[in-house]
Amino acid sequence: EGHLPDRQYALACRQFENDWQAYIRVDLRDEILLLARDLIHRHPLRGFDAIHLASALSVKRALREEITFAAADERLLRAAEAERLPVLNAETAQAP
């Protein structure tokens, strides 16, 4: 969105690329898309936000353990809480 100075943006991109292998990546299967559709009916979510939340719920189900849902969008965080996920607001959280 253009809120970061060029140097900070470049650093964030490098960090993301360096960490890529550590991320859990969720395949965009029909199961995820159907759940995203259902989430849009239950919550005022945008398409990609619904896919983000559907992916998290799918990972939680597959792992059979609690996961923390991280996002910076308040509407998305409220939907995640309503779906019984612990949440972390990425904009207000303190870095370790």
Side-chain angles (χ1 to χ4, degrees):
E1 294 182 356
H3 298 294
L4 289 177
D6 289 344
R7 282 183 90 167
Q8 284 184 302
Y9 177 76
L11 176 61
C13 288
R14 279 194 306 277
Q15 288 174 331
F16 179 81
E17 290 170 11
N18 289 340
D19 294 341
W20 180 251
Q21 292 304 316
Y23 293 134
I24 296 173
R25 294 174 297 280
V26 178
D27 290 332
L28 192 55
R29 301 179 316 267
D30 286 345
E31 167 194 334
I32 302 294
L33 294 173
L34 292 172
L35 180 54
R37 179 202 59 198
D38 294 343
L39 291 167
I40 288 171
H41 288 292
R42 291 198 297 266
H43 309 286
L45 295 172
R46 294 179 290 264
F48 284 119
D49 290 341
I51 290 170
H52 181 183
L53 181 52
S55 298
L57 291 168
S58 177
V59 167
K60 176 185 176 182
R61 191 175 311 120
L63 294 177
R64 296 184 177 157
E65 63 183 60
E66 283 299 320
I67 63 169
T68 299
F69 184 83
D73 183 296
E74 286 294 330
R75 183 180 358 184
L76 179 54
L77 290 168
R78 283 191 302 273
E81 286 179 318
E83 295 295 324
R84 299 186 182 101
L85 287 175
V87 300
L88 172 72
N89 186 322
E91 286 188 346
T92 61
Q94 296 292 322

